[in-house]
Amino acid sequence: MVTLDRLVNVLGSYGVRLRFCPIPRSTELGSVVVHEDAGGRTVIGDVLLAIGARSVDEALRWAVSAHAVVVLLRDHDDNTTFAGMDEGVAMMVVDASVSWSELSAVVYGLVLEGRETESGRGPTDLFALADSLAEVVGGAVTIEDPLSRVLAYSTMQQNADPARVATVMDRQAPASLREFFETRGVFTHLANSDEPLFVSPDTDRGMSGRMVVAVRSGTELMGSLWVACLEPLAEPERTALADGARTVALHLLRSRASADLERQVESELVLRLLNGSPDAAASASRLGLAPGRMRVIAVQAFIDFDRDAGLLLAFERATTGFGWSRPGRSALCGNTVYTLLPGEQAESARRWFAGLQASLPDPLTVLAGISKAAAATDLPAARQEADECLALHGIKPPDAPPPAYDESWDEILLQRLRTAARSGRTPDRGPVAELRRHDADNTTDYVSTLRAWLEAMGDPAEAGNRLGVHENTVRYRLRKMGEITDLQLDDARKRLAMMIELAATQAD
């Protein structure tokens, strides 16, 4: 079950637009039907697919008869702009380039499987489909995405070879195999044709032979379907392979729609927790998060100055797979992806981040900050901690691990002081400022000597070790510094103030 608002938002990317809506967009939808009579009675449901309707009026009559509150119909050149007002039926217009078979898979996936995806279970089983296809065509099957990553594979091993084993084990075709397919023009064929293609065996790469066909929805290449075989498939197996590719496309469309829905539900709950929710425990439970403390991970990703594409890709990777297969729950807010990750240990969060980073293309720059472990009710404060750690990661070396707040709170405090200092909010008079001017004019090292002495808690020997000079040199410099400015080193508050100013103005 989904709301009309979610249906409109998701179908908007599939060539469907809301033409007229006399009902609240919060209306819940729980069933999908087409216009038909079954046993002398009209089938009823919330969403009607008006397949074959010759006009808006006819589609509307069908919707009223089916007790539907939403009707999807082809665009018609008539002036019935406000049809459905009295009947309380929302109208959604389907673009002519979108087939009803593809659209019905998406709508059914959204409406009928909305509750299932909200609880984190997948709507389709590509592995079962791969097994069925393998039995029909008589060879081991793999289903891959456009980047040659394995989405599913059959348990049947007929005609399996070392190349297939490596592909399945690595969840992606090896680089050498992808280069081979590229030189053979396989990927060019997949981009431009729906006809199955035979790739002859290559013993150097451990490949016995492949039959491959594009998995396409409209003009979009959604992946490819591969069969291990020693020679080109003949009929009827060849036709079964082409039909199987169309079935895979429908499954992927349903999976995409369900994933979009799950992301929306998940994001809403995560942001509710991060913003402070009176029912925090209930929201965490709906997300499928185990009771206990968790960490907030703030992530930003960008390519050069383009922050949108990288960020969206990072969010897609962070939310890939259904709820039960992912340890964290994520939301996209502004220019940051926030993930709630159960567990106390910062290293677990760093491993999660490393996995996310490894799944992204090399040109992307990925930054992250990790909060201190927090209960569900304390997540708003944890979000702020993650944001500050994210900012700290941005000024660290590129290969530095993401900082965690409980390990880096001192660096964050000093960074706040440095930010204030850069805005001109440090004293330009006083002992430290006067010693700094003296150093600049006379090439002395009084500021560094004062810092070393304060850090050594007044021990001249330790301060000398830090500076690489004799302790008597430290004492001599302190006497000369006392002649330049009123240090008052015997005053604890003055010493603390000087330490703060030195920390704030120290180079990053």
Side-chain angles (χ1 to χ4, degrees), residues 1-201:
M1 181 178 294
V2 296
T3 63
L4 172 59
D5 185 66
R6 287 206 180 99
L7 185 70
V8 171
N9 289 338
V10 175
L11 293 187
S13 61
Y14 292 91
V16 181
R17 68 183 188 277
L18 183 64
R19 176 171 176 176
F20 178 66
C21 186
I23 62 175
R25 290 181 62 147
S26 60
T27 301
E28 292 188 339
L29 311 172
S31 55
V32 182
V33 295
V34 296
H35 176 65
E36 61 177 336
D37 291 325
R41 62 178 181 83
T42 302
V43 178
I44 64 174
D46 296 332
V47 181
L48 173 71
L49 304 180
I51 301 173
R54 291 163 294 184
S55 67
V56 173
D57 284 337
E58 184 174 34
L60 183 59
R61 288 197 303 271
W62 290 358
V64 172
S65 176
H67 299 175
V69 293
V70 181
V71 59
L72 277 71
L73 66 153
R74 293 290 188 197
D75 201 1
H76 294 85
D77 295 328
D78 59 35
N79 298 319
T80 319
T81 305
F82 298 102
M85 171 67 80
D86 296 333
E87 295 83 356
V89 178
M91 292 193 301
M92 299 181 69
V93 177
V94 181
D95 189 88
S97 64
V98 181
S99 72
W100 279 114
S101 59
E102 292 177 356
L103 185 63
S104 62
V106 176
V107 176
Y108 274 92
L110 277 170
V111 176
L112 299 185
E113 297 172 355
R115 184 182 297 106
E116 186 176 19
T117 56
E118 182 177 336
S119 63
R121 297 188 297 274
T124 60
D125 189 347
L126 284 177
F127 285 87
L129 179 57
D131 284 337
S132 298
L133 288 172
E135 292 179 5
V136 173
V137 300
V141 167
T142 56
I143 301 171
E144 301 178 10
D145 71 4
L147 298 179
S148 299
R149 293 175 300 201
V150 176
L151 300 174
Y153 55 89
S154 66
T155 54
M156 175 186 282
Q157 299 299 317
Q158 185 173 345
N159 299 324
D161 48 44
R164 182 180 190 272
V165 172
T167 299
V168 170
M169 293 296 291
D170 295 341
R171 295 292 191 269
Q172 185 173 32
S176 60
L177 193 60
R178 296 198 302 273
E179 292 174 3
F180 169 73
F181 291 144
E182 181 71 39
T183 58
R184 288 288 187 93
V186 174
F187 296 131
T188 300
H189 175 86
L190 292 175
N192 297 288
S193 175
D194 293 331
E195 288 297 315
L197 173 71
F198 180 69
V199 185
S200 57

Side-chain angles (χ1 to χ4, degrees), residues 385-405:
E385 294 171 355
D387 285 336
E388 292 191 291
C389 288
L390 175 65
L392 182 62
H393 198 203
I395 61 173
K396 285 183 171 291
D399 57 347
Y405 188 82

